[in-house]
Amino acid sequence: MKGQRLAQFLSQEQRKIPGATGELTMLLNDIAAACKAIGHEVNRGALAGNLETVGSENVQGEVQKKLDVVSNEIFIRSMEWTGHLAGMASEENEEIIPIPSKYPRGKYLLCFDPLDGSGNIEVNLSIGTIFSILPAPNDNPKTEDFLQPGTRQVAAGFCIYGPTTIMVLTTGNGVNAFTLDRDVGDFLLTHSNIRIPEDTAEFAINMSNHRFWEEPMRRYIDECVKGKAGGREKDFNMRWLASMVAEVYRVLMRGGLFTYPMDEKLKQKGGRLRLLYEANPMSFIVEQAGGMASTGRQRILEIQPTGIHQRVPVILGSRNEVARVVSYHQ
Ligand code: FBP
């Protein structure tokens, strides 16, 4: 019920799964603790010197902010000792991250983007941590053991560091959200069984790429912009927050269509957003909340990954609008 502590909610959910060992429950509680620590650093911002760039570039060729590096370190150090993981993959690390031999290993793999939306750090807009949990085929995983389609995810979630810090979570039985109560230092259930409205009049896209999009996406967005004057049954509103966690959270709260589609500039790379630790966890959450997530040509969760940093086009949100975009790609 509302106000329930995250640990109590997870324990209750665990009891619904016959034979559950409690490993996933403990792992999710450890992830929540890591997100609280990252949120603390995010909230300190300039006061902790966290807004500077560190001059290095990550595997994506993106200039790293100190907060990117700090968040990545916090997540790795908070998770490696837990005994629930056989390995990790991070947006900030080129190779998979092994569990140090001094720590026990567990039966899960953890893929994560420690701080998504980092372009928003110095302008004080919402950013977040995204994570995806896969079964580990063995306790000494190689890179190819991470290359599992999103349908294999055991759990996924994100923590958004905004006016409030909110953890959104699915273990395959619906989507729930927990707001951090700073007085007691705990995540409390505030949004139960979140459902995305099937229809929407709001789309989110970076319009400056219009001339680079494929024709089906140009057609869809041009129709939305024209609204009733262009043949749609309603007029549309637009949002673009340059922070996937913030966009997806808004879609969960009031519906919408979020997309970072394929474009000419990104063709070589395969898209903007990464499959393992952005598109897959967000698609799992969106589908669990009654929405739809596609590349335009394929259900995202069914993509067979070819690399841990593989990028894909993303179109997700209110089912009827995503279905329309998919139909334009046929
Ligand atoms: P990072 O993980 O490097 O932050 O990149 C992902 C992202 O910030 C998404 O959160 C967001 O939707 C998108 O890039 C914004 O891209 P652009 O800056 O081209 O609008």
Side-chain angles (χ1 to χ4, degrees), residues 65-84:
K65 307 279 188 317
K66 185 174 172 220
L67 215 42
D68 279 320
V69 175
V70 165
S71 303
N72 195 44
E73 277 305 302
I74 289 173
F75 216 77
I76 294 169
R77 298 290 165 260
S78 304
M79 304 311 299
E80 64 183 359
W81 54 265
T82 60
H84 308 312

Side-chain angles (χ1 to χ4, degrees), residues 92-106:
E92 300 296 333
N93 292 58
E94 179 154 11
E95 304 301 330
I96 59 172
I97 304 160
I99 301 300
S101 51
K102 63 184 173 184
Y103 297 130
R105 296 181 175 205

Side-chain angles (χ1 to χ4, degrees), residues 62 91 113 116-118 206 240 243-244 260 272 274 278:
E62 295 158 346
E91 178 196 71
D113 179 356
D116 177 75
S118 6
N206 182 335
W240 188 248
S243 174
M244 189 182 193
Y260 212 111
R272 174 78 170 83
R274 275 64 51 140
E278 289 171 333

Side-chain angles (χ1 to χ4, degrees), residues 37-58:
I38 292 174
H40 174 72
E41 284 306 317
V42 168
N43 292 149
R44 285 182 50 69
L47 301 174
N50 281 337
L51 303 192
E52 289 127 32
T53 55
V54 290
S56 55
E57 280 193 352
N58 64 9

Side-chain angles (χ1 to χ4, degrees), residues 6-247:
L6 175 63
Q8 187 181 357
F9 175 86
L10 292 174
S11 172
Q12 188 179 291
E13 287 297 293
Q14 178 190 320
R15 285 198 290 274
K16 296 176 187 172
I17 315 289
T21 62
E23 272 230 58
L24 179 62
T25 298
M26 289 184 279
L27 173 56
L28 291 171
N29 278 311
D30 291 335
I31 289 173
C35 289
K36 277 193 281 190
I38 292 174
H40 174 72
E41 284 306 317
V42 168
N43 292 149
R44 285 182 50 69
L47 301 174
N50 281 337
L51 303 192
E52 289 127 32
T53 55
V54 290
S56 55
E57 280 193 352
N58 64 9
V59 60
Q60 326 281 342
E62 295 158 346
V63 171
Q64 286 181 304
K65 307 279 188 317
K66 185 174 172 220
L67 215 42
D68 279 320
V69 175
V70 165
S71 303
N72 195 44
E73 277 305 302
I74 289 173
F75 216 77
I76 294 169
R77 298 290 165 260
S78 304
M79 304 311 299
E80 64 183 359
W81 54 265
T82 60
H84 308 312
L85 298 175
M88 293 186 263
S90 167
E91 178 196 71
E92 300 296 333
N93 292 58
E94 179 154 11
E95 304 301 330
I96 59 172
I97 304 160
I99 301 300
S101 51
K102 63 184 173 184
Y103 297 130
R105 296 181 175 205
K107 60 185 186 180
Y108 296 113
L109 301 178
L110 178 62
C111 306
F112 61 93
D113 179 356
L115 206 58
D116 177 75
S118 6
N120 285 333
I121 290 174
E122 68 266 25
V123 293
N124 197 35
L125 292 176
S126 296
I127 49 184
T129 300
I130 309 173
F131 59 89
S132 169
I133 298 172
L134 293 164
N138 56 68
D139 63 6
N140 192 17
K142 303 283 179 291
T143 301
E144 51 272 19
D145 293 317
F146 285 76
L147 306 184
Q148 303 177 39
T151 46
R152 301 265 301 145
Q153 291 176 96
V154 175
F158 63 89
C159 193
I160 180 169
Y161 313 113
T164 57
T165 292
I166 297 179
M167 167 78 73
V168 176
L169 191 55
T170 185
T171 55
N173 185 27
V175 180
N176 295 281
F178 305 79
T179 302
L180 181 60
D181 179 337
R182 298 182 194 286
D183 297 336
V184 298
D186 210 342
F187 284 102
L188 306 183
L189 180 63
T190 47
H191 304 72
S192 300
N193 191 28
I194 297 170
R195 302 301 292 170
I196 298 174
E198 292 194 347
D199 290 301
T200 183
E202 191 162 72
F203 67 91
I205 194 166
N206 182 335
M207 287 295 277
S208 68
N209 296 320
H210 185 281
R211 64 192 182 285
F212 300 117
W213 299 333
E214 297 177 314
E215 180 44 37
M217 184 54 75
R218 257 209 302 271
R219 172 188 171 194
Y220 173 75
I221 296 298
D222 290 350
E223 287 176 354
C224 288
V225 170
K226 290 178 190 148
K228 284 184 281 201
R232 286 304 306 264
E233 71 291 359
K234 55 195 165 183
D235 289 340
F236 280 71
N237 190 17
M238 195 204 95
R239 287 285 181 274
W240 188 248
L241 302 174
S243 174
M244 189 182 193
V245 290
E247 311 276 8

